[in-house]
DNA sequence: TCTATTGATACTATACTGGTCCGGTTAGGA
DNA sequence: TCCTAACCGGACCAGTATAGTATCAATAGA
């Protein structure tokens, strides 16, 4: 059970919280960790790749914290998952067929490739602002 | 990287091979393991849940082996993955929301639920016989 | 300068993945 | 009958990933 691990789940909840507290200036990690019941030291590590990816920006020092560096409409869940899981695929061989000697005529590869695409398309269609909406009906169907 | 682990990949390739060798009578594990380059002792373990699920049947003794117990059209890849991964979901909380205290008003849960559904629908739409087809164009798009 | 807050590493405990090994059981065939 | 091909079941194992902790340094506001 690892494609959507706590990394993505915590991370997405963190971003939603940031999107709710836009225009408060930088929000400190501790307050989000607390009200989302996420271990602060663990969340602190998830924040690094998000910053590197340009999704959030940070301010150090007292009164520092994090804020979204883009509109939540422009942050897709796909991007968040890719950044936090370190990969975008459920399978190595769909992205790097050269890793498997059998890939050239593997009958199952097209199936997995299709599955990847289904996942990609879905996640690409949902943004952080969709997620932040109180009851978002569309993507749940 | 584990939702589609070697279990599903090996298992599906095994079933495809069985579907190709239908009407040969029981096929012994060793010969499939060899030509699919799957460790025989490992494959031997994957075969147990497939039998328990009624996907294949086994014959013991000399000249024994395995054969599909249903038409390959009636075996969906979804079923194979569920049986071999021991679960159908990428996330626990979508199936058992009671595991998470926050599930009642978790803003991200509908997203993951929607993702599960996308995955389910896709995998349900592909059967072992589709997979066995030499170049199956439909589901790869 | 004091203090709140991020930044960067290093460490750990647990579980999962992908195997191997081995002794036992069943049944076809010489 | 007895040999042997094949399945059956379980213990075991090394490597890696996940989830989390701990420590200390850097920075900026009051
Ligand atoms: S055999 Fe097919 S599914 Fe398995 S790793 Fe190779 S290409 Fe991928
Ligand atoms: S917080 Fe939401 S996504 Fe995370 S486990 Fe609970 S219900 Fe699932």
């Amino acid at each position: 059970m690892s494609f959507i691990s706590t990394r993505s789940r915590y991370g997405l909840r963190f971003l939603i919280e940031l999107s709710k507290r836009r225009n408060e200036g930088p929000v400190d990690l501790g307050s989000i960790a607390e009200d989302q019941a996420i271990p602060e030291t663990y969340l602190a590590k998830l924040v690094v790749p998000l910053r590197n990816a340009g999704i959030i920006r940070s301010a150090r020092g007292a009164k520092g914290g994090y804020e979204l560096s883009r509109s939540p409409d422009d942050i897709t869940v796909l991007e968040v998952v890719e950044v936090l899981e370190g990969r975008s695929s459920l399978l190595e061989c769909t992205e790097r067929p050269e890793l498997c000697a059998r890939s050239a005529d593997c009958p199952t590869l097209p199936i997995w490739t299709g599955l990847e695409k289904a996942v990609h398309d879905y996640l690409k269609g949902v943004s952080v602002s969709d997620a932040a909406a109180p009851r978002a009906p569309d993507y749940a169907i």
Side-chain angles (χ1 to χ4, degrees), chain A:
Chain A
M1 177 105 25
S2 84
F3 179 62
I4 302 295
S5 69
T6 56
R7 296 177 62 88
S8 295
R9 301 205 303 276
Y10 288 171
L12 185 55
R13 280 161 58 200
F14 171 73
L15 293 175
I16 289 172
E17 206 51 32
L18 281 190
S19 85
K20 285 184 182 164
R21 302 207 205 163
R22 263 152 101 58
N23 65 27
E24 284 184 26
V27 182
D28 79 287
L29 204 65
S31 72
I32 294 186
E34 187 176 12
D35 83 41
Q36 290 291 316
I38 298 171
E40 183 176 350
T41 50
Y42 188 54
L43 186 54
K45 295 201 317 187
L46 303 185
V47 125
V48 177
L50 291 173
R51 174 167 38 80
N52 293 340
I55 294 174
I56 59 176
R57 83 173 76 92
S58 61
R60 295 173 71 142
K63 291 282 179 180
Y66 299 90
E67 52 192 335
L68 296 182
S69 53
R70 290 188 246 148
S71 157
D73 296 308
D74 290 337
I75 307 170
T76 69
V77 175
L78 175 62
E79 189 179 0
V80 176
V81 170
E82 282 180 345
V83 164
L84 288 174
E85 304 293 346
R87 64 195 130 86
S88 53
S89 59
L90 290 77
L91 244 70
E92 282 288 322
C93 62
T94 55
E95 293 199 314
R96 303 201 183 85
E98 70 274 13
L99 293 179
C100 175
R102 314 194 124 246
S103 60
D105 54 14
C106 170
T108 64
L109 186 51
I111 297 177
W112 309 133
T113 305
L115 176 61
E116 296 275 12
K117 180 159 169 37
V119 169
H120 258 241
D121 288 351
Y122 176 82
L123 291 179
K124 197 167 191 169
V126 187
S127 71
V128 168
S129 58
D130 293 332
R135 249 291 162 236
D138 310 82
Y139 48 81
I141 293 184

